[in-house]
Amino acid sequence: MCEERNDSQQKIISTAVSGYANYLRVSHSFGEFILEFHLMEEHQAENIAKIVINPIYIKDFVKVIQNNIEKYEKRLGIELPENPNEFLQKGITKK
């Protein structure tokens, strides 16, 4: 199940290691979706994290991410580009 973070909810104990990623690779098989987060520097990628999600939850995951993107854009008064190449050419646009 995917849900947005709400600090009033029950605390979750985390043993995860955090890291910065600027490249995401997504793949799938019959039984899972795989999200691999990488730090791309020059022509080399360092694997930061690999998340495997059951297909039953992937659409819910995407909805939560999309909802957070919309809140981010609204709060900052900007519109994020659809792809990184567009960002490199135009930058972030104000709404």
Side-chain angles (χ1 to χ4, degrees), residues 14-72:
S14 176
T15 58
V17 176
S18 296
Y20 177 80
N22 58 7
Y23 180 77
L24 172 64
R25 178 182 293 161
V26 179
S27 59
H28 66 275
S29 66
F30 177 77
E32 59 196 19
F33 276 79
I34 302 136
L35 287 73
E36 295 178 273
F37 297 86
H38 302 273
L39 176 59
M40 184 71 87
E41 296 181 311
E42 309 237 343
H43 298 289
Q44 182 176 334
E46 176 186 348
N47 188 321
I48 303 300
K50 181 178 182 178
I51 309 296
V52 180
I53 301 175
N54 186 303
I56 293 170
Y57 300 111
I58 197 69
K59 284 188 176 183
D60 197 24
F61 174 81
V62 170
K63 286 177 191 174
V64 169
I65 296 295
Q66 185 62 44
N67 188 21
N68 273 271
I69 291 169
E70 290 168 7
K71 287 179 182 179
Y72 177 87

